[in-house]
Amino acid sequence: MQFNDAQNRAVRHAAGPALVLAGPGSGKTRVITGRVRFLIDECNVSPGDILVVTFTRAAAEEMRQRYEHSGGRTGVTFGTFHSIFFYILKNAYGFSASDIIKEEDKHRFIASAMEKSGTGTEENPDLLKDIINEISLVKSGGYDIGSYYALKYPAEEFKHIYMEYDRYLKKNRKLDFDDMMLYTRELFEARADILARWQQRFTYILIDEFQDINLIQYQIVKMLALPENNLFAVGDDDQSIYGFRGSDPNIMLDFAKNYQKADIIKLDVNYRCSKNIVDTSLKLINNNKLRYKKRIVAAKSFGSAVDIRGFKNAAQENEAIIKLVMEYAGRGVSYGDIAVLYRTNAQMQPVINKFLEYNIPVCIRDSIPNIYEHWIALDIFAYIRLALGAGKPKDLIRIMNKPKRYISRESISTSKVNYDELAALYDDKPWVVSRIYQMKTDIKVLSKMTPKKAVRYIHKIVGYGDYLKEYADYKGIDADNLNEIYEKLCEMAEGYKDLKDWLLGADEYAEKLKKSRYSSDNAVSLMTLHGSKGLEYGHVIIADVNEDIIPHKMTVSENDIEEERRLLYVGMTRAKEKLYLFFAKNRYSHDMKPSRFIEEIMRG
């Protein structure tokens, strides 16, 4: 293998601690596999004494294959933190794979606990994921649940859910991935003899993506590396983007304090991106204060300038994305060499609809919920089915008090929809009769409208918008989030000629969305900025680079702002040849500002 000077210095690091700062496209995988071969071939280290750890099974397998294809000897252990920790626990306690809680069982139990606490997942499907992530954060961060204050859920209710889940695991002798860390640390702290055996087994430890490590993982690694401290940590503090999972960039920043004899090596050549992309991304990340200062140079020529564009509204931005992709395809660029990146999953739905409308193949690399399965969409479609005369009693039940009409569930016939019979039951309550007949009139008016006009009519004239506001106030959630779902539905309804056509289109959308999740051959990749880490494409479009999107509106502290900046930096450095940063000046009737990060890039 050929290495540059910095890579060669890292590869030939023989013993003791080392921190390798490996920026985007700097060849860190080659360095890790090269060093493993150096230890075995030139330092006579036994392959069985070497442990290479990373964060995903795919990354560990890729590392192993790269090493063996380069001619490396077998016997080296390549694994994830979880697989290594579980192997240790298996030997100590006799755990088997059946003792690990299945993800669907975990989701089911926590969703049930949320229901019991009075918050269902239907109205906010992301909340379940948020709570699961926060439970993981508490465990991986070593926080005391007794004094922990939840970020996205009432503190006492979160504590109750956490403790219920903990009791469930213990009662059923189950453990989750975070427990593997906690149990391993407890084992090593309690049993010096067991720790010593594993220290003798793995005398050389190499860690990939070190910036993603959390406190418990680091504590275990430090114990394992003793007494020789042959710890070789490779990562990039500028790509630390998993704070919500408990990763802490300060662990990497403090490495030299914890290991005062550590060799600090900077891989400062970017072989992936053009010089313009490297220079522009550095203008952004240099605004972070908590980082190692670096001088990164591009191995490639200047290339095209980074293209920053503002659009009148979100719809125009989405149209521009489609047009740009089609232009590239017309020039012979493979769809598979194009990626569109977003801050959150929810932002993608309208543009996914556009891609499917134009029959452009897409590969959706994140789990994107179908917007037509959101409860607001289900309400709208219930109105529409009633307008088309295809509605059933269950549709009437769904919308009868959205907005409030004071109709009781018991008064609805289970066999047919008949407004006159329903009104007759409320002869003594003329205000209810009035609302029933107004509902009948509104539903009849809807039948002659285009889908977009129908959605607007339901929201503004029927009063569904007032219902959403009341609902948000009652649940203590942000009404803007609900209104954004409604606005997305308006945008997705555009282009359909009638209501029936839209209902059929929604079914077709669901099928295409399902297929897109598994398609990867010559398809445009759509994903979040988080999901893009570790990937690269010739042409990258980062959409919605707006204030309150990135940085996210929930971002408060300066540390959080720095992580958001790192997140955009990760997205920018996925691009090899051409990078676009798009933003909209108006998004679903709200004026928007370009992200402060755009200003930082422009200011340089």
Side-chain angles (χ1 to χ4, degrees), residues 239-469:
Q239 296 187 71
S240 179
I241 59 173
Y242 294 117
F244 63 92
R245 293 182 188 168
S247 65
D248 184 355
N250 288 306
I251 293 172
M252 194 168 189
L253 294 170
D254 292 340
F255 192 88
K257 295 179 185 176
N258 292 323
Y259 296 98
Q260 295 186 2
K261 295 182 179 180
D263 197 3
I264 309 295
I265 305 164
K266 296 180 180 180
L267 305 186
D268 56 1
V269 180
N270 182 321
Y271 292 95
R272 176 191 300 153
C273 310
S274 69
K275 189 176 189 306
N276 266 319
I277 294 172
V278 170
D279 292 348
T280 304
S281 63
L282 285 174
K283 287 179 183 178
L284 172 71
I285 202 63
N286 282 338
N287 286 276
N288 271 8
K289 296 180 175 63
L290 296 175
R291 64 186 293 264
Y292 287 100
K293 295 296 180 184
K294 309 174 188 72
R295 183 187 69 89
I296 299 176
V297 296
K300 293 182 177 180
S301 62
F302 275 92
S304 300
V306 174
D307 194 336
I308 301 174
R309 300 187 195 179
F311 298 90
K312 182 180 178 181
N313 53 45
Q316 285 191 6
E317 182 184 4
N318 291 336
E319 289 285 356
I321 290 170
I322 298 298
K323 183 180 178 182
L324 186 57
V325 169
M326 292 175 72
E327 286 175 0
Y328 272 121
R331 299 205 299 263
V333 174
S334 166
Y335 285 131
D337 205 25
I338 304 171
V340 185
L341 311 183
Y342 290 86
R343 174 62 180 83
T344 66
N345 281 333
Q347 293 166 254
M348 294 187 211
Q349 288 155 334
V351 82
I352 289 172
N353 193 48
K354 285 290 181 185
F355 274 110
L356 299 181
E357 180 184 327
Y358 282 86
N359 288 316
I360 298 173
V362 291
C363 175
I364 301 169
R365 294 184 175 270
D366 299 276
S367 179
I368 307 295
N370 182 352
I371 190 171
Y372 290 130
E373 293 174 356
H374 193 282
W375 61 270
I376 293 177
L378 297 178
D379 289 348
I380 298 293
F381 281 176
Y383 269 109
I384 288 174
R385 279 191 295 273
L386 289 166
L388 292 172
K392 297 179 179 179
K394 65 179 182 180
D395 294 310
L396 183 57
I397 290 168
R398 183 173 191 94
I399 57 90
M400 64 186 184
N401 287 311
K402 299 178 182 180
K404 193 70 175 174
R405 298 184 178 96
Y406 305 97
I407 303 170
S408 72
R409 165 68 179 80
E410 291 73 22
S411 61
I412 303 293
S413 167
T414 58
S415 59
K416 60 182 178 179
V417 175
N418 189 306
Y419 302 103
D420 295 328
E421 289 182 4
L422 177 61
L425 297 174
Y426 291 93
D427 277 343
D428 59 334
K429 297 176 180 176
W431 65 90
V432 177
V433 173
S434 173
R435 284 171 168 81
I436 291 171
Y437 280 119
Q438 183 60 54
M439 176 174 63
K440 179 182 179 181
T441 300
D442 286 333
I443 286 171
K444 185 177 180 180
V445 169
L446 286 172
S447 66
K448 299 177 177 62
M449 291 183 170
T450 63
K452 185 172 182 178
K453 285 184 177 179
V455 178
R456 294 282 189 204
Y457 188 87
I458 292 168
H459 189 266
K460 293 185 176 179
I461 307 302
V462 175
Y464 189 77
D466 296 331
Y467 161 74
L468 289 180
K469 186 178 184 308

Side-chain angles (χ1 to χ4, degrees), residues 169-229:
L169 291 174
K170 288 182 169 61
K171 179 182 176 182
N172 293 279
R173 198 177 184 268
K174 297 286 184 183
L175 70 163
D176 62 19
F177 288 119
D178 296 305
D179 291 329
M180 293 178 193
M181 295 185 295
L182 294 169
Y183 289 3
T184 302
R185 184 183 66 175
E186 290 173 5
L187 175 66
F188 283 174
E189 288 174 343
R191 295 289 300 273
D193 57 328
I194 293 177
L195 172 59
R197 287 206 298 272
W198 289 104
Q199 288 169 336
Q200 291 162 13
R201 166 74 187 277
F202 298 125
T203 53
Y204 288 85
I205 301 173
L206 296 84
I207 301 178
D208 185 25
E209 305 286 8
F210 188 69
Q211 76 279 349
D212 295 336
I213 201 167
N214 64 44
L215 178 63
I216 308 296
Q217 290 166 340
Y218 186 49
Q219 290 171 341
I220 295 169
V221 165
K222 284 174 69 178
M223 286 189 277
L224 261 182
L226 290 169
E228 287 89 353
N229 287 328

